[in-house]
Structure formats: structure tokens, C-alpha cells
């Protein structure tokens, strides 16, 4: 039986690959851009094994939406974009925004040091 995945933080960096989509919404289109990328991410979450989790955020100034998505590896990007339905959903963002899309690999994890400093004092 497959155990459910739990999101959480670890004390050290995990060899994770992240996709970061910065979606620059056309004026007044932030909510629609959010809904469209949310549809894309939910499609991937339901169908692609390489998907680990996603964090969708809207800027407080109403101008951008950000998708930070953890995936199993760089090869998943090609897998996602080779899916015709995914591609159609992703391209729908062009009607309400422009996008930046980057892939990152975790190299370091920095945690607050305040508690450790207080404990040693």
C-alpha cells in the first residue's frame, strides 16, 4: 500500500529539482492567471509521477503569480511538456500574462540560527 506524501522541511538539503514559474499578469488579470496555473498544476498532480508538490502564490501588488514546484528530476520537464493537454493548458496563460520558467536544483538549505544562538548563551 502506498503511503501518502507529506510536505515538510528537513534539517539538510534534499536533492530536489524545482520549477519556478513567474507569471507576470496583464493588468487586472492576476486572478485569472492564478486560476489557469492552478489548473495546470492540478492536472500534473493528478497524472505525473515526477510531481512532488507545488506552492502557488499571488503577489500582494496584483501583478504576478508564482508557481514553485518540486519535481523528481530535470527529465520531468520534458515529460510534462510532451503531454498535449498539459501544453494546451500551459499555453492558455499567454492570453492573460507573460511567463518566466526556470529549473533549479537545491544546493543549500538555510534555517534560522536564532534558537541555536539563544540555547548556547
Amino acid at each position: 500500500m502506498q503511503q501518502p506524501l507529506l510536505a515538510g522541511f528537513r534539517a539538510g538539503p534534499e536533492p530536489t529539482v524545482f520549477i519556478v514559474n513567474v507569471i507576470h499578469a496583464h493588468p487586472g488579470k492576476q486572478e485569472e492567471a492564478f486560476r489557469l496555473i492552478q489548473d495546470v498544476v492540478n492536472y500534473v498532480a493528478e497524472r505525473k509521477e515526477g510531481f512532488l508538490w507545488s506552492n502557488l502564490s499571488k503577489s500582494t501588488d496584483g501583478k504576478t503569480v508564482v508557481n514553485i514546484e518540486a519535481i523528481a528530476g530535470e527529465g520531468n520537464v520534458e515529460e510534462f511538456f510532451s503531454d498535449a493537454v498539459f501544453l494546451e493548458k500551459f499555453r492558455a496563460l499567454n492570453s492573460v500574462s507573460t511567463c518566466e520558467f526556470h529549473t533549479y536544483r537545491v544546493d543549500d538549505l538555510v534555517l534560522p540560527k536564532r534558537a541555536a544562538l539563544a540555547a548556547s548563551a
Side-chain angles (χ1 to χ4, degrees):
M1 185 168 139
Q2 189 177 25
Q3 292 183 326
L5 296 174
L6 299 174
F9 290 98
R10 299 191 186 258
E14 293 288 318
T16 306
V17 174
F18 290 96
I19 299 301
V20 179
N21 301 102
V22 179
I23 301 160
H24 302 273
H26 299 326
K29 298 293 185 176
Q30 185 189 45
E31 288 298 325
E32 190 172 353
F34 183 86
R35 184 185 59 73
L36 289 169
I37 193 63
Q38 188 177 43
D39 184 47
V40 171
V41 170
N42 281 308
Y43 177 82
V44 170
E46 293 170 2
R47 292 167 179 81
K48 305 297 182 183
E49 288 295 321
F51 175 86
L52 301 177
W53 56 262
S54 174
N55 181 319
L56 297 171
S57 304
K58 293 181 259 187
S59 65
T60 57
D61 63 9
K63 295 180 180 181
T64 60
V65 175
V66 175
N67 172 32
I68 301 172
E69 184 172 311
I71 60 175
E74 288 94 343
N76 296 120
V77 175
E78 286 182 37
E79 174 193 352
F80 299 168
F81 279 95
S82 68
D83 180 320
V85 175
F86 169 89
L87 200 52
E88 180 181 338
K89 289 177 176 291
F90 191 80
R91 286 181 177 160
L93 284 163
N94 293 335
S95 66
V96 296
S97 65
T98 59
C99 299
E100 292 178 54
F101 178 93
H102 302 279
T103 305
Y104 299 89
R105 178 174 295 283
V106 173
D107 289 325
D108 191 16
L109 175 66
V110 178
L111 297 172
K113 295 176 178 47
R114 295 177 304 278
L117 290 174
S120 66

